Amino acid sequence: MTASGEPWRQWQEEVAAVVVVGSCMTDLVSLTSRLPKTGETIHGHKFFIGFGGKGANQCVQAARLGATTSMVCKVGKDSFGNDYIENLKQNDISTEFTYQTKDAATGTASIIVNNEVKTLFNPAPAIADLDPRFYTLSDVFCCNESEAEILTGLTVDSAADAGEAALVLLKRGCQVVIITLGAEGCVVLSQTEPEPKHIPTEKVKAVDTTGAGDSFVGALAFYLAYYPNLSLEDMLKRSNFIAAVSVQAAGTQSSYPYKKDLPLTLF
Ligand SMILES: Nc1ncnc2c1ncn2[C@@H]1O[C@H](COP(=O)(O)OP(=O)(O)OP(=O)(O)O)[C@@H](O)[C@H]1O
Ligand SMILES: *[C@@H]1O[C@H](CO)[C@@H](O)[C@H](O)[C@H]1NC(C)=O
Ligand SMILES: *[C@@H]1O[C@H](CO)[C@@H](O)[C@H](O)[C@H]1NC(C)=O
């Protein structure tokens, strides 16, 4: 993914400013008053099918902000897979590199690339012994508090803790490390500014925080690709704002805002 030869460059310019490699998952959601015991059948009061998967979530958020996007992933060769491809198309996402397979999909991580082949890596779900090349090959390494704990072995309960964990990750070779902190916003540091900086966010009334991290990463990919001249701090403030909008509505992709519904000052 980091090759910078001509064919890659051409391919990318034709396809999209934001390319996401990651998972597409179909969520089958049953609302019940309690969990069933082993082997038990219980009544549910509501059922719905949702489009999820961390890679696709991030791609949808970037697309809704106006990015040209392409989703690189595999879905099943079945009706869920067909429906998922239709969902990507509905969101104006290129499915040229979305494949269908009879094997189960295995989404573990996503890499987002813009035209200068900048890589944004989101190690979700995190594993303690992540291949060290993921650090050295990441321009921007972005994870949440629990992922930072798994990756560093440190406890991350505050912005100060996150700053310490981010420094450990930075020393593994990334250019920029961001740790998201839920309602507390995020912490950032970089090789050029290794002093941790806390970027707080406005307090909002959260309805459903599922997928907030993916909204944040998708928004950040959009700013990296389309507003490369903004300061990183400014990009993060705006990504915090967009993710905060997403927590004020129910659902994952269904809560992601479109450019037309956001303040003009974000663009
Ligand atoms: N309650 C909240 N109020 C305002 N902003 C929020 C809130 N929760 C999350 N956010 C925004 O979303 C970003 C990501 O949140 P968080 O750190 O919880 O990610 P996450 O754990 O990966 O999310 P999830 O796993 O729920 O999708 C935060 O950096 C912040 O900008
Ligand atoms: C971080 O993201 C993972 C998904 O990769 C999720 O399971 C976990 O609950 C999140 N942690 C926090 C603190 O939100
Ligand atoms: C970013 O800044 C450079 C140099 O200052 C300028 O040439 C370029 O047009 C700017 N790009 C955007 C998208 O504003």
Side-chain angles (χ1 to χ4, degrees):
M1 291 304 295
T2 53
S4 54
E6 275 313 301
W8 164 252
R9 218 164 257 289
Q10 263 174 15
W11 171 81
Q12 240 191 349
E13 276 164 18
E14 278 166 23
V15 173
V18 173
V19 177
V20 179
V21 182
S23 58
C24 292
M25 304 285 176
T26 302
D27 300 328
L28 304 177
V29 187
S30 300
L31 302 186
T32 60
S33 53
R34 61 178 176 84
L35 291 174
K37 298 193 181 80
T38 307
E40 187 191 14
T41 301
I42 60 170
H43 281 284
H45 54 272
K46 202 174 172 194
F47 173 80
F48 61 90
I49 295 177
F51 297 107
K54 301 193 75 75
N57 290 345
Q58 295 167 15
C59 199
V60 165
Q61 180 64 88
R64 288 188 185 175
L65 297 175
T68 57
T69 54
S70 180
M71 187 67 209
V72 183
C73 68
K74 275 184 182 169
V75 294
K77 209 173 177 58
D78 49 29
S79 60
F80 287 138
N82 297 343
D83 289 351
Y84 212 111
I85 288 178
E86 186 53 34
N87 174 53
L88 294 174
K89 287 182 177 159
Q90 293 273 322
N91 280 283
D92 277 330
I93 294 167
S94 164
T95 57
E96 194 178 348
F97 301 98
T98 306
Y99 301 100
Q100 287 191 285
T101 174
K102 285 189 173 131
D103 306 329
T106 53
T108 55
S110 47
I111 301 169
I112 297 178
V113 184
N114 79 358
N115 281 348
E116 282 77 49
V117 196
K118 186 161 274 192
T119 57
L120 191 167
F121 182 64
N122 175 224
I127 46 169
D129 58 347
L130 186 67
D131 187 320
R133 285 173 295 183
F134 280 114
Y135 297 103
T136 53
L137 295 174
S138 299
D139 292 306
V140 181
F141 189 98
C142 180
C143 64
N144 70 16
E145 289 163 284
S146 38
E147 289 154 356
E149 288 190 347
I150 292 167
L151 294 166
T152 64
L154 300 172
T155 301
V156 182
D157 271 339
S158 64
D161 291 348
E164 285 177 31
L167 191 57
V168 170
L169 297 173
L170 188 75
K171 287 181 178 159
R172 293 182 186 168
C174 338
Q175 294 306 307
V176 173
V177 177
I178 298 157
I179 299 181
T180 62
L181 304 168
E184 299 303 317
C186 61
V187 158
V188 60
L189 47 70
S190 63
Q191 296 292 350
T192 49
E193 290 180 51
E195 193 63 38
K197 190 176 263 180
H198 181 199
I199 318 283
T201 188
E202 297 281 323
K203 288 271 177 294
V204 299
K205 195 171 181 319
V207 172
D208 180 356
T209 62
T210 319
D214 295 334
S215 170
F216 180 92
V217 173
L220 180 58
F222 166 79
Y223 286 115
L224 287 167
Y226 284 88
Y227 294 86
N229 288 358
L230 282 181
S231 69
L232 187 59
E233 186 171 341
D234 216 350
M235 291 186 199
L236 296 174
K237 281 184 188 160
R238 293 177 194 209
S239 301
N240 269 342
F241 184 96
I242 290 164
V245 172
S246 83
V247 305
Q248 294 174 72
T252 303
Q253 291 181 12
S254 54
S255 70
Y256 290 178
Y258 290 83
K259 180 175 182 175
K260 66 175 172 50
D261 302 317
L262 291 164
L264 286 172
T265 50
L266 291 177
F267 299 96

